[in-house]
Amino acid sequence: MTQAASPRPLDGITVVSLEHAIAAPFCTRQLADMGAQVIKIERPGAGDFARGYDERVRGLSSHFVWTNRSKQSLSLNLKHPDAAGVMERLLASADVLVQNLAPGAAERLGLSFEALHARYPRLIVCDISGYGEGGPYQDKKAYDLLIQSESGFVSVTGTKDDTAKAGCSISDIAAGMYAYSSILNALLLRQRTGEGSRIDVSMLESMVEWMGFPMYYAFEGAPPPVRAGAAHATIYPYGPFPVGGGATLMLGLQNEREWVVFCDKVLNQPALAQDERFSSNSRRAANRDVLRALIVEAFSALDVQEVAGRLDSAQIANARVNDMAGVWAHPQLRARDRWRQIGSPAGALPALLPPASSSAFEPRMDPVPAVGEHTDTVLASLGYAPDEVAKLHASEVV
């Protein structure tokens, strides 16, 4: 049996998702990668509003292409009275329901865990929201930037003078990944108990977990880490440095042994390692402006290849500061054969394999669906006859 034909971990698992934007779609795409059948319910016509975020991928949205491959799109007007019958059939054969609708919307549709558990005792329900159930923020709208702010991330990110957000949707990603791992846990638990369970994932709590280092650094009122741009807030030298020719190189020193080698083999200034101003990490961090000027001067006569070569020879960690074009062309990704072609309404597109490779199976890498592309197929699989499907279309249920 070839690896591509080997069973995947989630083969036979059916996931129904009432999802939009990023957190829930990112979660369910991971499930689809691992073999689950993910039925994405979209509004007839417009679909997931993330489809309209931009048109950068040959007319398709960059966010949508990233988070929605390998899914089936079922168009369904959840506000239509006859949609309830479709949902009943879907959930009767589903293993997992994922939703990140507006606060309270799933409950109003009769899709809370409490409403569903008696009828579908094996169903796992995963609710993803900004702030979680309960508390004064329960009904507050939450978007990625707002959660980056509420979680304290923005306060420690940026430069001395200006805060900054992350350049990607890290709050959504954090919540999506905790939802994904929690669903896997719930599936394992169901094997032991026979019962489904409810998962309550908060974007705020997901991000606050990631803020553990700066929070403990500022424990009991201590000053928080300084905003240091792309440099490390508390370790130095650790960050970007300009080199000759206008390029920038990122380097990171972790200990005193590396500091001595750096001064000797990279800067060609072995005496600098004995300078009292730089004799420990805390002293180097306190005198970072002076030390930075010395490093920049030493690097100014060298191009990026020469500096990287010295750092590599000295076994000092370093990296290029790639732009997006550089990442698309990254030689390591190409050498490890990490790119595949997937289908989409705009034709074939490159897509990165999931980061964790397995020797036992190949992840699913199927097309990004058009809105409602699989509606008739899914309805037929639920037992709807062709005339019933036609009636659902005519009455604008689907």
Side-chain angles (χ1 to χ4, degrees):
M1 180 181 290
T2 65
Q3 188 186 56
S6 300
R8 299 183 178 100
L10 298 183
D11 284 350
I13 296 295
T14 299
V15 179
V16 175
S17 192
L18 310 175
E19 60 180 32
H20 56 251
I22 306 304
F26 189 64
C27 163
T28 58
R29 200 216 76 195
Q30 318 303 313
L31 298 170
D33 288 344
M34 296 299 105
Q37 177 192 25
V38 176
I39 300 172
K40 178 185 180 77
I41 295 178
E42 300 194 72
R43 293 171 297 170
D48 181 343
F49 59 73
R51 288 181 180 271
Y53 277 175
D54 58 59
E55 302 81 31
R56 301 303 293 264
V57 188
R58 299 175 189 162
L60 304 178
S61 161
S62 54
H63 281 87
F64 193 86
V65 168
W66 166 44
T67 58
N68 287 284
R69 67 171 181 245
S70 302
K71 300 179 185 179
Q72 294 178 303
S73 174
L74 167 66
S75 61
L76 182 65
N77 179 5
L78 292 170
K79 296 182 179 180
H80 195 290
D82 292 341
V86 178
M87 285 300 299
E88 289 281 341
R89 296 200 196 187
L90 279 171
L91 296 177
S93 58
D95 297 281
V96 183
L97 172 65
V98 179
Q99 70 86 17
N100 69 330
L101 303 177
E107 186 175 2
R108 290 191 295 272
L109 291 167
L111 297 174
S112 67
F113 177 74
E114 292 74 18
L116 296 173
H117 186 61
R119 284 179 289 160
Y120 315 109
R122 290 178 55 81
L123 182 67
I124 295 162
V125 177
C126 180
D127 301 320
I128 305 173
S129 63
Y131 297 99
E133 183 178 4
Y137 282 44
Q138 171 181 280
D139 297 323
K140 192 176 177 69
K141 284 189 174 182
Y143 304 127
D144 181 83
L145 172 59
L146 309 182
I147 298 298
Q148 288 192 38
S149 299
E150 287 281 357
S151 67
F153 177 86
V154 168
S155 76
V156 298
T157 305
T159 66
K160 179 181 178 181
D161 298 321
D162 296 297
T163 59
K165 66 179 286 292
C168 61
S169 305
I170 60 166
S171 301
D172 286 315
I173 295 168
M177 290 307 293
Y178 281 117
Y180 169 52
S181 60
S182 297
I183 289 169
L184 298 180
N185 288 338
L187 288 167
L188 288 172
L189 183 62
R190 191 181 68 175
Q191 288 183 347
R192 297 170 60 184
T193 67
E195 292 277 317
S197 54
R198 187 213 175 193
I199 300 164
D200 176 12
V201 179
S202 155
M203 292 171 64
L204 176 65
E205 289 157 19
S206 299
M207 276 301 295
V208 170
E209 166 63 25
W210 285 14
M211 293 297 293
F213 148 64
M215 288 177 65
Y216 281 116
Y217 189 87
F219 190 57
E220 294 185 334
V226 297
R227 292 194 300 271
H232 198 286
T234 60
I235 304 174
Y236 204 82
Y238 196 135
F241 290 87
V243 300
T248 299
L249 197 69
M250 193 77 68
L251 67 88
L253 275 73
Q254 290 279 2
N255 54 56
E256 297 312 304
R257 180 191 60 79
E258 290 185 347
W259 166 243
V260 173
V261 174
F262 177 72
C263 293
D264 184 20
K265 303 297 184 184
V266 179
L267 299 183
N268 291 333
Q269 300 178 43
L272 195 62
Q274 310 306 317
D275 192 315
E276 283 297 313
R277 295 173 297 175
F278 314 128
S279 61
S280 68
N281 176 67
S282 59
R283 291 184 178 182
R284 290 192 293 274
N287 295 288
R288 66 172 61 207
D289 291 342
V290 176
L291 180 53
R292 177 178 173 79
L294 293 171
I295 295 172
V296 170
E297 182 181 6
F299 285 178
S300 64
L302 307 171
D303 64 26
V304 68
Q305 288 83 8
E306 291 173 308
V307 176
R310 288 189 184 185
L311 290 165
D312 286 339
S313 295
Q315 296 186 321
I316 302 294
N318 65 91
R320 309 294 175 94
V321 182
N322 284 319
D323 57 14
M324 293 303 97
V327 178
W328 277 113
H330 203 292
Q332 183 70 1
L333 298 175
R334 184 183 302 119
R336 281 173 48 81
D337 192 27
R338 300 310 294 172
W339 296 104
R340 296 292 183 271
Q341 292 286 312
I342 60 170
S344 81
L349 297 172
L352 187 71
L353 284 166
S357 298
S358 171
S359 64
F361 67 94
E362 280 278 347
R364 174 182 288 161
M365 299 289 286
D366 288 348
V368 177
V371 179
E373 179 179 343
H374 303 93
T375 298
D376 290 1
T377 300
V378 172
L379 292 175
S381 73
L382 297 176
Y384 284 92
D387 61 321
E388 293 177 301
V389 173
K391 184 177 179 180
L392 290 171
H393 279 288
S395 58
E396 299 184 340
V397 179
V398 298

